[in-house]
Structures are given as structure tokens and as C-alpha cells.
Amino acid sequence: MLTSLRFSSRVPVTRLLLRGLLRKVRCDHDCEERSLLYYALLRYSGCRVNCPPSLRFLLSIFDLAIKVGVTVMGGDEEELKRALRDPAIARGVETVLRGIALYGVTTPQKLPAPFMVVWNFTNACNLRCSHCYQRAGTPQPAELSLTEKLKVVEELDEAGVAAIALSGGEPTLCPDYLVVVKEAARRGMYVGIATNGWRFADFDELKKAVDAGLRYLEVSVDSANPRKHNAFRGVEGSWERAVKALENGVKLGINPAMATTVTKMNLDEVDDIIELAESIGVRRVVFFNFIPTGRGRDLVNLDLEPEEREEFMRLIYREMVKRKMEIYTTAPQYGRVVLQMSRGSVVAPTHHAVSKDPVTKALAEYIGGCGAGRIYAALQPDGEVAPCVFMPIRLGSVREESFIRIWNEHPLVQRLKSKEGLGGFCGLCPYRYVCGGCRARAYAYLGDPFGPDVGCVNNRKYYDALKGTENNPGIME
């Protein structure tokens, strides 16, 4: 559907139709005022939507356009309808279509709102992780109040954000996190939590979160060896509770993910970590790209060499194929590696998707690669907005202006959306639209979010130049 509408949007009448569907209306499907486009997607999926009679003709035209597009592309209309019944998916599709209506077809596709906001819910944390990008420990003195947090949820809803991921610090230490989970879920957003698992080792605590609307659980495990994990995380017993939280997630059927920050410390454990996940019943493992920011700046020598990262990505792709698990990495170069190893038959447009699906392949260059300031944004505990949790560049504060204004007007965000002017091989690479390098790594190493990603084998000379500075590849500006 998206692919066909992208093609047909080159015809002016299609963009006129999409623009006509952007107006906000209130239907009896829920009590929120939303775009007619959102209601059109739900109506197409089979949900009952009673919009004013004057708008029904426009909805019928949209229905017809989708039917024709799906038929032309050889898609499965029933599968599409089932997917669109999920409000979060409908919101994501709406965001892409609004981008096409407002900006036309662009590469990468410019979006009027991010798909996801990663929200560092609090700076409080009960662990002392050596690599913490947030330097978490105690709450910030001016963290958002519950009233302000609910206002943020309302703003993100109105902007069209499809997903919210609560992170930290440790989000479950905040007494009002369940209130926010419930409100975001009520508004149709997909809600996830990135956690150390300590609280969710208690089955009943995790069940409360799931009952409130939590749909995605990501628990950090940095080693298959309990002693190594506990030492890295700074608290005894943290490995055992993290594993228990994952076991509880499996029991509750929410398909949890194990998250591991890959460094020289655990590079030789990749197979063991995947086997640990498999033994628990976890089918998704996400290997986070180490970025030397926050306390991680003191561990820069643990970062992988470019060749080590390349071989690591090739290894996890082979393991994913062999084990039939979902195994990803946040290193955007994974998009290139997957294409190369599969000879173009499989794509990894983001670190949450690897697929042979033809539509995903068609969209990869429009949504793929590093999503900082492009398909996602970060929100700090005090309301400050950044392009990425690993890129501490202040864009504005939701206490001073609306989130959507920051997203659509800040000049740095506009540059990040275009992928133009990237330094080093990143700007020349034929894979830049499925990769483009990690902008947070460029900022951490070079002080320039548009510089080359020195972790890529194609930018090896920049890595060597940094390493020669003081025999240390992590010199910051």
C-alpha cells in the first residue's frame, strides 16, 4: 500500500486526496480529535468509524485507492487490514502518508513526526552501569511532574507519534510510570520499556505493566556470565533479576527482547549470549552499538575496531538465519551487511526489522539507517529534546515550546532528515540511504553529528587518524 501510494503520489490528484485527509475531525471511534487520514485507515481495516456524511465520499475514494494499490503490488488485502487494526501501526502508516502529502516523495522520506520517542523517564537508577550514557543514579532536580508528563503524552499523540519507549535511568523506579503507560496505550500508541529488569523480576509487577498497556519489554544483559554482568552493572544479583524478568516476559507472552551492548569485554560471548536468550525462550536479541558518551567516555578503549564490528555483524546475521531468531544490532552498517550477505534478497532498514518482504525492501532506502532526528527523537527527564539518547545536543524543551514545533523547525533536525552533507565515506557510500553511519558516534568521536562514522571499515582512515592522536581512538573535541 505504501509503495503504491508513493508511486501514485507523483500524480497531483493523489497528493490532493492525501492533503484533503489531513484535516482533524472527531468521529465516534474514540473521544480524540484525529486526522481524517487516521480514521480512513481504521475504516478500511474494518473498524466502525462514523464520520460526518459529507466526508464519506472522500473516505470511499481512499478505500478504492488502497484496493487498487494493493492489487497492483500483488499484496494481501486481508493481511493489510489485520495490520491496520492495530492503532499503533495505523498511526505509523498515517505518519508516512502525511509526509508524502506534505513534502512529496523524498529520499529518505521526510516525516512530519517521528515514529518513536525514546523517553528517559527519570535519571534515577538502582544500578551503577559502567557504560551509562545518562550518568544515571539520582533523579535530576527538575524532572517533569506527572501533570507535565501527561501533557507530553497528549502532545506526542497529537503529533502522530506511533510509539513511546520509556528508558532512563530506570523508568520503573518512577512511581507514576504506570499512569503514563496506561495513558499512552489508551491513546493508541505502542508502549515499550527498556529496563535493567530488577523490578520486573517480580511477576506481579510486570503483569501490572502489561495490564496497563505495555507491549514491548527490553531487558539489558551484558554477559552470559553472571559475575561479569554484575561487575559491569555495579550491583550483585542484577544478572539473576534481569534473567528472571525475561522469563516472566516469556510467561506473559509479550515477546521480550534481550539487549546487550557489544564491546571488547563481551565480543567473544556473542554465541553464548544468543544461546542464553534461546534457553530462556526469548526470540529477539538486540546488540547495541557502543557509543562513548556519558560514563561510556571512560570506557572508549572497549569499543570495537572497525574490522571487529564488521565481523560481528556478519556473525549475528549468520546466527539469525541459522537459529531463525530475530537478532539485530543498532549499528546502521547492519543494513549494508545484510544486503551484501543476502545478495540483495533481505533488508534490515532499522534495528527492529530484517525481512525478505518486497514492500519492506522497497521502503528500505526511504526509512533505513540511523534514525536520529529522522524517524525517532529523545526526550530527557526534564523535558529537553535531543536527536538521540546517545547524542546529547539540546534542541529545545517541551516546557518552553511544543514537541512538534521543535521537530519540524529546528535546523539540526532538518539536516538530519535529509542525510545530505555527511562527511567521509558516509557521504559517498552507495548504501547511505540504508545506513548513513551512526550520527551519535560521529558526534561522540569528532564533535560533528555529520562527520564520518569512524566505526565503519569504509572510514578506517579516520579511525586511524584519531588513534594516532594520542594512541587513543576516542579523543573527543
Short mmCIF file of all heavy atoms in Angstrom, two decimals, residues 318-360:
data_model
loop_
_atom_site.label_atom_id
_atom_site.label_comp_id
_atom_site.label_asym_id
_atom_site.label_seq_id
_atom_site.Cartn_x
_atom_site.Cartn_y
_atom_site.Cartn_z
N ARG A 318 24.51 -14.48 10.30
CA ARG A 318 24.55 -15.94 10.10
C ARG A 318 23.78 -16.65 11.21
O ARG A 318 23.06 -17.62 10.96
CB ARG A 318 26.00 -16.42 10.06
CG ARG A 318 26.77 -16.01 8.82
CD ARG A 318 28.08 -16.77 8.70
NE ARG A 318 29.01 -16.47 9.78
CZ ARG A 318 29.94 -15.52 9.73
NH1 ARG A 318 30.08 -14.79 8.63
NH2 ARG A 318 30.75 -15.32 10.76
N GLU A 319 23.94 -16.17 12.45
CA GLU A 319 23.24 -16.79 13.58
C GLU A 319 21.73 -16.62 13.45
O GLU A 319 20.96 -17.51 13.80
CB GLU A 319 23.72 -16.19 14.91
CG GLU A 319 25.13 -16.60 15.28
CD GLU A 319 25.25 -18.10 15.49
OE1 GLU A 319 24.39 -18.68 16.18
OE2 GLU A 319 26.20 -18.71 14.95
N MET A 320 21.30 -15.46 12.97
CA MET A 320 19.87 -15.21 12.82
C MET A 320 19.26 -16.17 11.79
O MET A 320 18.19 -16.75 12.01
CB MET A 320 19.62 -13.77 12.38
CG MET A 320 18.15 -13.41 12.21
SD MET A 320 17.92 -11.70 11.73
CE MET A 320 18.75 -11.68 10.14
N VAL A 321 19.97 -16.36 10.69
CA VAL A 321 19.49 -17.27 9.65
C VAL A 321 19.46 -18.70 10.18
O VAL A 321 18.48 -19.44 9.98
CB VAL A 321 20.38 -17.16 8.40
CG1 VAL A 321 19.99 -18.24 7.38
CG2 VAL A 321 20.25 -15.77 7.77
N LYS A 322 20.52 -19.09 10.88
CA LYS A 322 20.64 -20.47 11.38
C LYS A 322 19.61 -20.77 12.46
O LYS A 322 18.97 -21.83 12.44
CB LYS A 322 22.05 -20.69 11.92
CG LYS A 322 22.29 -22.09 12.46
CD LYS A 322 23.75 -22.27 12.88
CE LYS A 322 24.03 -21.55 14.18
NZ LYS A 322 25.41 -21.83 14.68
N ARG A 323 19.46 -19.84 13.40
CA ARG A 323 18.60 -20.10 14.56
C ARG A 323 17.15 -19.69 14.34
O ARG A 323 16.30 -19.97 15.17
CB ARG A 323 19.15 -19.36 15.78
CG ARG A 323 20.53 -19.80 16.22
CD ARG A 323 21.05 -18.89 17.32
NE ARG A 323 22.42 -19.19 17.69
CZ ARG A 323 22.79 -19.97 18.70
NH1 ARG A 323 21.87 -20.55 19.44
NH2 ARG A 323 24.06 -20.18 18.98
N LYS A 324 16.89 -18.97 13.25
CA LYS A 324 15.54 -18.45 12.98
C LYS A 324 15.03 -17.59 14.14
O LYS A 324 13.87 -17.70 14.55
CB LYS A 324 14.58 -19.59 12.66
CG LYS A 324 14.92 -20.31 11.35
CD LYS A 324 13.95 -21.41 11.03
CE LYS A 324 14.17 -21.99 9.65
NZ LYS A 324 15.54 -22.45 9.39
N MET A 325 15.93 -16.77 14.66
CA MET A 325 15.60 -15.80 15.69
C MET A 325 15.67 -14.40 15.10
O MET A 325 16.18 -14.21 13.99
CB MET A 325 16.58 -15.90 16.87
CG MET A 325 16.49 -17.18 17.67
SD MET A 325 17.79 -17.25 18.96
CE MET A 325 17.28 -15.91 20.05
N GLU A 326 15.17 -13.43 15.85
CA GLU A 326 15.34 -12.04 15.48
C GLU A 326 16.59 -11.53 16.19
O GLU A 326 16.59 -11.38 17.41
CB GLU A 326 14.12 -11.21 15.90
CG GLU A 326 12.82 -11.63 15.23
CD GLU A 326 11.64 -10.82 15.75
OE1 GLU A 326 11.67 -9.58 15.60
OE2 GLU A 326 10.73 -11.41 16.33
N ILE A 327 17.65 -11.29 15.43
CA ILE A 327 18.91 -10.84 16.00
C ILE A 327 19.34 -9.59 15.24
O ILE A 327 19.59 -9.64 14.04
CB ILE A 327 20.01 -11.92 15.93
CG1 ILE A 327 19.51 -13.22 16.58
CG2 ILE A 327 21.29 -11.44 16.59
CD1 ILE A 327 20.47 -14.39 16.42
N TYR A 328 19.38 -8.48 15.95
CA TYR A 328 19.66 -7.20 15.32
C TYR A 328 20.81 -6.49 16.01
O TYR A 328 21.26 -6.89 17.10
CB TYR A 328 18.44 -6.26 15.41
CG TYR A 328 17.12 -6.87 15.01
CD1 TYR A 328 16.01 -6.76 15.85
CD2 TYR A 328 16.97 -7.54 13.82
CE1 TYR A 328 14.78 -7.29 15.49
CE2 TYR A 328 15.75 -8.08 13.45
CZ TYR A 328 14.66 -7.96 14.29
OH TYR A 328 13.45 -8.50 13.93
N THR A 329 21.28 -5.43 15.40
CA THR A 329 22.20 -4.52 16.05
C THR A 329 21.79 -3.10 15.68
O THR A 329 21.26 -2.86 14.60
CB THR A 329 23.66 -4.77 15.66
OG1 THR A 329 24.48 -3.74 16.23
CG2 THR A 329 23.85 -4.75 14.14
N THR A 330 22.04 -2.16 16.60
CA THR A 330 21.73 -0.75 16.31
C THR A 330 22.79 -0.10 15.44
O THR A 330 22.63 1.05 15.06
CB THR A 330 21.58 0.05 17.62
OG1 THR A 330 22.81 0.00 18.34
CG2 THR A 330 20.45 -0.50 18.48
N ALA A 331 23.88 -0.81 15.14
CA ALA A 331 24.87 -0.28 14.19
C ALA A 331 24.21 -0.17 12.83
O ALA A 331 23.79 -1.18 12.26
CB ALA A 331 26.09 -1.20 14.12
N PRO A 332 24.09 1.05 12.27
CA PRO A 332 23.36 1.18 11.00
C PRO A 332 24.03 0.45 9.84
O PRO A 332 23.37 0.15 8.84
CB PRO A 332 23.32 2.70 10.77
CG PRO A 332 24.40 3.26 11.63
CD PRO A 332 24.53 2.34 12.80
N GLN A 333 25.33 0.15 9.96
CA GLN A 333 26.02 -0.59 8.90
C GLN A 333 25.42 -1.98 8.70
O GLN A 333 25.66 -2.62 7.68
CB GLN A 333 27.51 -0.73 9.23
CG GLN A 333 28.30 0.56 9.19
CD GLN A 333 28.22 1.34 10.48
OE1 GLN A 333 27.67 0.87 11.48
NE2 GLN A 333 28.78 2.53 10.49
N TYR A 334 24.62 -2.43 9.66
CA TYR A 334 23.98 -3.74 9.53
C TYR A 334 23.08 -3.78 8.29
O TYR A 334 22.93 -4.84 7.67
CB TYR A 334 23.18 -4.04 10.79
CG TYR A 334 22.77 -5.49 10.95
CD1 TYR A 334 23.69 -6.52 10.80
CD2 TYR A 334 21.46 -5.83 11.30
CE1 TYR A 334 23.32 -7.84 10.98
CE2 TYR A 334 21.09 -7.15 11.47
CZ TYR A 334 22.02 -8.15 11.31
OH TYR A 334 21.64 -9.46 11.49
N GLY A 335 22.50 -2.63 7.93
CA GLY A 335 21.68 -2.58 6.72
C GLY A 335 22.49 -2.95 5.49
O GLY A 335 22.02 -3.70 4.62
N ARG A 336 23.71 -2.45 5.41
CA ARG A 336 24.61 -2.78 4.29
C ARG A 336 25.03 -4.24 4.35
O ARG A 336 24.98 -4.95 3.33
CB ARG A 336 25.84 -1.87 4.32
CG ARG A 336 26.96 -2.35 3.40
CD ARG A 336 28.18 -1.46 3.47
NE ARG A 336 28.74 -1.33 4.80
CZ ARG A 336 29.50 -2.24 5.39
NH1 ARG A 336 29.76 -3.40 4.79
NH2 ARG A 336 30.01 -2.02 6.59
N VAL A 337 25.43 -4.69 5.53
CA VAL A 337 25.93 -6.06 5.68
C VAL A 337 24.87 -7.08 5.30
O VAL A 337 25.15 -8.06 4.59
CB VAL A 337 26.42 -6.30 7.13
CG1 VAL A 337 26.68 -7.78 7.39
CG2 VAL A 337 27.68 -5.49 7.39
N VAL A 338 23.62 -6.86 5.74
CA VAL A 338 22.54 -7.79 5.41
C VAL A 338 22.30 -7.83 3.90
O VAL A 338 22.13 -8.92 3.32
CB VAL A 338 21.25 -7.40 6.17
CG1 VAL A 338 20.05 -8.18 5.64
CG2 VAL A 338 21.42 -7.66 7.66
N LEU A 339 22.29 -6.68 3.27
CA LEU A 339 22.11 -6.65 1.81
C LEU A 339 23.24 -7.39 1.10
O LEU A 339 23.00 -8.16 0.17
CB LEU A 339 22.06 -5.20 1.32
CG LEU A 339 20.71 -4.48 1.40
CD1 LEU A 339 20.88 -3.01 1.04
CD2 LEU A 339 19.69 -5.12 0.47
N GLN A 340 24.47 -7.17 1.55
CA GLN A 340 25.61 -7.81 0.91
C GLN A 340 25.61 -9.31 1.12
O GLN A 340 25.82 -10.07 0.16
CB GLN A 340 26.91 -7.20 1.44
CG GLN A 340 27.14 -5.76 0.99
CD GLN A 340 28.34 -5.12 1.67
OE1 GLN A 340 28.72 -5.48 2.79
NE2 GLN A 340 28.96 -4.15 0.99
N MET A 341 25.36 -9.75 2.33
CA MET A 341 25.41 -11.18 2.62
C MET A 341 24.25 -11.95 2.00
O MET A 341 24.39 -13.14 1.68
CB MET A 341 25.46 -11.41 4.13
CG MET A 341 26.76 -10.93 4.77
SD MET A 341 26.91 -11.42 6.52
CE MET A 341 27.10 -13.21 6.39
N SER A 342 23.11 -11.29 1.86
CA SER A 342 21.95 -11.97 1.26
C SER A 342 21.87 -11.75 -0.24
O SER A 342 20.93 -12.20 -0.88
CB SER A 342 20.66 -11.46 1.92
OG SER A 342 20.42 -10.10 1.55
N ARG A 343 22.86 -11.02 -0.78
CA ARG A 343 22.88 -10.67 -2.20
C ARG A 343 21.60 -9.94 -2.62
O ARG A 343 21.03 -10.18 -3.68
CB ARG A 343 23.10 -11.91 -3.07
CG ARG A 343 24.45 -12.57 -2.80
CD ARG A 343 24.72 -13.75 -3.72
NE ARG A 343 26.01 -14.34 -3.44
CZ ARG A 343 26.53 -15.37 -4.11
NH1 ARG A 343 25.83 -15.94 -5.09
NH2 ARG A 343 27.73 -15.84 -3.80
N GLY A 344 21.17 -9.07 -1.73
CA GLY A 344 20.04 -8.21 -2.04
C GLY A 344 18.67 -8.79 -1.78
O GLY A 344 17.67 -8.11 -1.98
N SER A 345 18.60 -10.02 -1.28
CA SER A 345 17.28 -10.64 -1.09
C SER A 345 16.65 -10.28 0.25
O SER A 345 15.46 -10.47 0.45
CB SER A 345 17.40 -12.16 -1.21
OG SER A 345 18.18 -12.70 -0.15
N VAL A 346 17.46 -9.79 1.20
CA VAL A 346 16.97 -9.45 2.54
C VAL A 346 17.44 -8.04 2.87
O VAL A 346 18.53 -7.62 2.48
CB VAL A 346 17.51 -10.44 3.60
CG1 VAL A 346 16.98 -10.10 4.99
CG2 VAL A 346 17.13 -11.88 3.23
N VAL A 347 16.60 -7.30 3.60
CA VAL A 347 16.97 -5.95 4.02
C VAL A 347 16.79 -5.80 5.52
O VAL A 347 16.00 -6.50 6.15
CB VAL A 347 16.14 -4.86 3.30
CG1 VAL A 347 16.42 -4.85 1.81
CG2 VAL A 347 14.66 -5.02 3.59
N ALA A 348 17.55 -4.86 6.10
CA ALA A 348 17.41 -4.52 7.51
C ALA A 348 17.31 -3.00 7.60
O ALA A 348 18.28 -2.32 7.93
CB ALA A 348 18.62 -5.03 8.30
N PRO A 349 16.13 -2.44 7.30
CA PRO A 349 16.00 -0.99 7.24
C PRO A 349 16.16 -0.29 8.58
O PRO A 349 16.51 0.88 8.63
CB PRO A 349 14.61 -0.77 6.67
CG PRO A 349 13.86 -2.01 7.02
CD PRO A 349 14.87 -3.11 6.96
N THR A 350 15.88 -0.98 9.68
CA THR A 350 16.06 -0.42 11.01
C THR A 350 16.58 -1.53 11.91
O THR A 350 16.65 -2.69 11.50
CB THR A 350 14.75 0.12 11.62
OG1 THR A 350 13.96 -0.99 12.06
CG2 THR A 350 13.96 0.94 10.62
N HIS A 351 16.93 -1.19 13.16
CA HIS A 351 17.43 -2.24 14.05
C HIS A 351 16.30 -3.04 14.69
O HIS A 351 16.53 -3.80 15.62
CB HIS A 351 18.35 -1.64 15.13
CG HIS A 351 17.70 -0.70 16.08
ND1 HIS A 351 17.68 0.65 15.88
CD2 HIS A 351 17.05 -0.92 17.25
CE1 HIS A 351 17.06 1.23 16.89
NE2 HIS A 351 16.67 0.30 17.73
N HIS A 352 15.07 -2.91 14.16
CA HIS A 352 13.97 -3.73 14.65
C HIS A 352 13.36 -4.56 13.52
O HIS A 352 12.29 -5.13 13.69
CB HIS A 352 12.88 -2.86 15.28
CG HIS A 352 13.27 -2.29 16.61
ND1 HIS A 352 13.53 -3.08 17.70
CD2 HIS A 352 13.45 -1.02 17.01
CE1 HIS A 352 13.85 -2.31 18.73
NE2 HIS A 352 13.81 -1.06 18.34
N ALA A 353 14.02 -4.62 12.36
CA ALA A 353 13.41 -5.35 11.26
C ALA A 353 14.48 -5.89 10.31
O ALA A 353 15.38 -5.18 9.90
CB ALA A 353 12.46 -4.43 10.47
N VAL A 354 14.36 -7.18 9.99
CA VAL A 354 15.12 -7.82 8.93
C VAL A 354 14.12 -8.66 8.16
O VAL A 354 13.44 -9.50 8.74
CB VAL A 354 16.25 -8.71 9.47
CG1 VAL A 354 16.99 -9.39 8.33
CG2 VAL A 354 17.23 -7.89 10.30
N SER A 355 13.99 -8.41 6.85
CA SER A 355 12.87 -9.03 6.15
C SER A 355 13.17 -9.27 4.68
O SER A 355 13.96 -8.55 4.05
CB SER A 355 11.64 -8.11 6.26
OG SER A 355 10.56 -8.61 5.52
N LYS A 356 12.53 -10.31 4.12
CA LYS A 356 12.54 -10.55 2.68
C LYS A 356 11.32 -9.93 2.00
O LYS A 356 11.19 -9.97 0.79
CB LYS A 356 12.52 -12.06 2.40
CG LYS A 356 13.79 -12.78 2.80
CD LYS A 356 13.70 -14.25 2.40
CE LYS A 356 14.99 -14.99 2.74
NZ LYS A 356 14.92 -16.41 2.34
N ASP A 357 10.41 -9.38 2.82
CA ASP A 357 9.16 -8.84 2.30
C ASP A 357 9.44 -7.78 1.24
O ASP A 357 10.23 -6.85 1.47
CB ASP A 357 8.36 -8.23 3.45
CG ASP A 357 7.09 -7.55 2.97
OD1 ASP A 357 6.16 -8.28 2.61
OD2 ASP A 357 7.07 -6.31 2.93
N PRO A 358 8.80 -7.84 0.05
CA PRO A 358 9.10 -6.90 -1.02
C PRO A 358 8.77 -5.45 -0.69
O PRO A 358 9.45 -4.54 -1.16
CB PRO A 358 8.24 -7.41 -2.20
CG PRO A 358 7.18 -8.26 -1.56
CD PRO A 358 7.82 -8.86 -0.37
N VAL A 359 7.74 -5.22 0.12
CA VAL A 359 7.40 -3.84 0.47
C VAL A 359 8.45 -3.26 1.42
O VAL A 359 8.89 -2.12 1.27
CB VAL A 359 5.99 -3.77 1.09
CG1 VAL A 359 5.69 -2.36 1.57
CG2 VAL A 359 4.94 -4.19 0.06
N THR A 360 8.89 -4.07 2.38
CA THR A 360 9.95 -3.61 3.29
C THR A 360 11.20 -3.29 2.49
O THR A 360 11.87 -2.28 2.73
CB THR A 360 10.27 -4.69 4.33
OG1 THR A 360 9.06 -5.07 4.99
CG2 THR A 360 11.26 -4.18 5.36
#
